[in-house]
Amino acid sequence: MTRHRSHPAGAALAAALAGCVLALPAGCGRAPERSADPEPTASSPADVCTSLVSYWVKEALNGSKWAGLDWEQKGMSNEQYEIHDEVLTAARAEERRAGRAAAFALTERETRRRCEAAKGATGSSENWRPPSEQRVPASGTHPPLS
């Protein structure tokens, strides 16, 4: 009497093929359909800056609980946070004058302009800046040198 040994790999392959044959009308063996989503494209530093800064300005205008995070938690550089503060101040004034939609439009426009002018505003995310990069406050006084 001859016994046939079971071959687990062969049994698994047979089961998979049987499943594929049963599923053939549903698309087994066909190439997947392409999604309607466009292929991702590389973003410039100005695009990333605009997206990041305008997002957080709008969150602040909406009174989001997350708007209170600090600049590091929001993923911004020092320069981006400076743009954020300036645009938020202008957007709040615009909101008082012309409403939330106008404030959002100003946010997009000003953030884009400032991020492009600063080439993405990717300056140091550290609190320390070398003296050559320190800015003089509008009052005309120099920051203390440590």
Side-chain angles (χ1 to χ4, degrees):
M1 181 169 184
T2 306
R3 288 187 175 225
H4 294 314
R5 290 186 145 160
S6 102
H7 296 285
L13 178 60
L17 288 173
C20 191
V21 167
L22 293 173
L24 194 54
C28 184
R30 290 191 307 208
E33 293 181 25
R34 291 188 56 88
S35 69
D37 295 336
E39 292 292 319
T41 58
S43 298
S44 71
D47 291 338
V48 173
C49 174
T50 300
S51 177
L52 182 64
V53 173
S54 65
Y55 172 84
W56 286 113
V57 170
K58 290 174 187 175
E59 285 294 296
L61 291 171
N62 283 329
S64 164
K65 70 179 184 174
W66 302 110
L69 296 173
D70 69 24
W71 59 275
E72 288 177 303
Q73 292 168 318
K74 292 176 181 176
M76 288 191 258
S77 69
N78 287 358
E79 287 181 290
Q80 290 164 346
Y81 191 65
E82 187 174 315
I83 291 169
H84 169 276
D85 282 351
E86 293 168 356
V87 171
L88 180 57
T89 299
R92 284 184 171 147
E94 182 70 8
E95 184 176 32
R96 285 189 298 275
R97 272 192 306 276
R100 172 92 29 104
F104 279 12
L106 178 136
T107 296
E108 287 294 325
R109 191 175 57 250
E110 276 301 297
T111 302
R112 167 63 60 189
R113 183 183 70 75
R114 291 171 188 236
C115 284
E116 284 178 352
K119 296 181 178 26
T122 58
S124 174
S125 291
E126 301 294 325
N127 288 324
W128 179 84
R129 290 185 182 166
S132 63
E133 293 181 18
Q134 291 182 0
R135 297 197 172 115
V136 177
S139 66
T141 60
H142 291 278
L145 297 175
S146 302

